[in-house]
Amino acid sequence: LHSFPTRRSSDLLARGLPKILSVEEVGNLLKLASSEAEIEGNSDKARTAVRRLNVLLELLYATGLRVSELVGLKRQAVMRDSFFINIVGKGGRERVVPLNDGARDVLVGWLEIVPGEKFLFPARSASGHLERQVFARELKALGARASIDASRLSPHVLRHAFASHLLQGGANLRVVQTLLGHADISTTQIYTHVLDERLRELVALHPLSG
C-alpha cells in the first residue's frame, strides 16, 4: 500500500474535496478541441487560437501544471525532443514533467507556429504571454460546446482531474506529489479520497468478498 502520513477525514472535508471531471468528460473535451483545431476555412487568427487551445488543454491534462506555470511556459522549457518539460514552480523549485504522445505531438506542431518566440504562448500583454483569464474563458466556452457546465470547469479543475485520474489508475501518491510540484505531501493528501475509493474497489474484487 501507499506509504504516507495520514490525515483525519474531518481535516480533508474542512478544506473541501477538489472538483474533478470524469475520464470520459475529459476525453470528450480533448476530442472536441482536437477536431476544432483541424477545421479548415477559419481565418489565420481564428485557426491559431483554436490550435493554441488544443495545445494548452493537452499539456494541462498531461502534466497537471498550475495555470500560471502553463501559460508562462518558455520555449526553453521544452526538453529532449519535446518528451519532457522543465518547470520552475513555486519558490523557484524546479521539476521535470514527462509528456505523453498526444501532448508531445500537438506541442511539436505548435512549435512550428511560434518559432523564435520567448514564450510558448506569446501574447500582446504586459507579461508577454497569454493571460490565464483568457485561457480560462476559452476553456469554459469549449466546455459549453462539450455540454459541460461552466461552473464545473476551470484550469484548476483539470489539474485536479490529472491527479485524481492518475491515482485511480494506481499511481503512487508521492509520484503525484512530485508531478504537481507540491512541497509537502500533506497538500497532495486532498486526493486520499480517491485512494480510499480505489481500495474499496480492490476489496470488492476479492474472491472471498461478499
Side-chain angles (χ1 to χ4, degrees), residues 168-206:
Q168 288 170 359
N172 184 280
L173 192 67
R174 290 199 180 275
V175 171
V176 175
Q177 174 195 1
T178 299
L179 293 174
L180 291 177
H182 288 162
D184 195 307
I185 190 66
S186 64
T187 306
T188 320
Q189 281 185 285
I190 190 68
Y191 300 105
T192 53
H193 70 289
V194 177
L195 291 177
D196 292 341
E197 181 179 342
R198 175 66 174 162
L199 288 173
R200 285 195 296 270
E201 291 174 353
L202 291 174
V203 170
L205 292 174
H206 192 283

Side-chain angles (χ1 to χ4, degrees), residues 8-17 190:
R8 294 185 305 173
S9 297
S10 58
D11 293 336
L12 292 172
L13 291 174
R15 292 178 60 185
L17 296 177
I190 190 68

